[in-house]
Amino acid sequence: MTKHMAEPPTHLPETLRRLEILAEEQGLTRSDLLDPRELATRTALPESTVRTLLAGGATPEDKVNDRVCARLRTLADAHLARTGGRMSDLAADVREHLGVSEYWARQVCAGKKVPSVEFLHGLVEFFGVEGGEAFFTAPAADALERVLLPALRTLERRSEQPDPVRALMDRYGVRAADLRRHGAMTPEQLDRLLEGVIRSAVPHEALERDSLR
């Protein structure tokens, strides 16, 4: 495995910019989408690294082998914390899954040995990570962007589809940010919003019939 290579520019800043714009348009806050602890778990990156990237900072240049070892160790630690097992148990499972020696498996899980491309593919399957071998080899910024893109695509789809409830909230001066800040709508706001929802959902003729009864 190549130990060092020139990396292409990351698209993470643009992804973050788009996320923040769409989140604001849809009444969400940055914290609704960007939880550093959760993102660190999903990327096998240190939480401090995630926070630096989210703040627009840059991480120190590293080598591919170092990334692979660090992320394997992070995944192994998370697996042991989740299962309550020991490193020897994990090494035995990896040995059985990949057909390697238990010593090799233990060294890899401890982040002390770099697996070949063939065995890295097997570790992708063993740990059930998304993104294939790139999960282990991609630069930190690209690894973070990979897990942010699905959220960005979801927000983009929502922005392309008119939201009748959001339209009614805008029409009657009710914003999602106001709801989070104050906890609830005033009775007058709720009455107006419900009236608008009912009038938009129930045919006009049905409302007229009900009013005549």
Side-chain angles (χ1 to χ4, degrees), residues 146-184:
R146 178 184 58 80
V147 301
L148 293 178
L149 284 176
L152 175 60
R153 295 186 184 114
T154 297
L155 292 181
E156 287 175 338
R157 286 195 297 270
R158 288 179 185 173
S159 68
E160 294 170 358
Q161 300 172 355
D163 183 350
V165 175
R166 177 60 185 268
L168 286 167
M169 293 176 71
D170 290 340
R171 177 180 176 184
Y172 292 111
V174 180
R175 298 184 59 188
D178 294 333
L179 299 183
R180 282 194 300 272
R181 186 163 57 246
H182 299 299

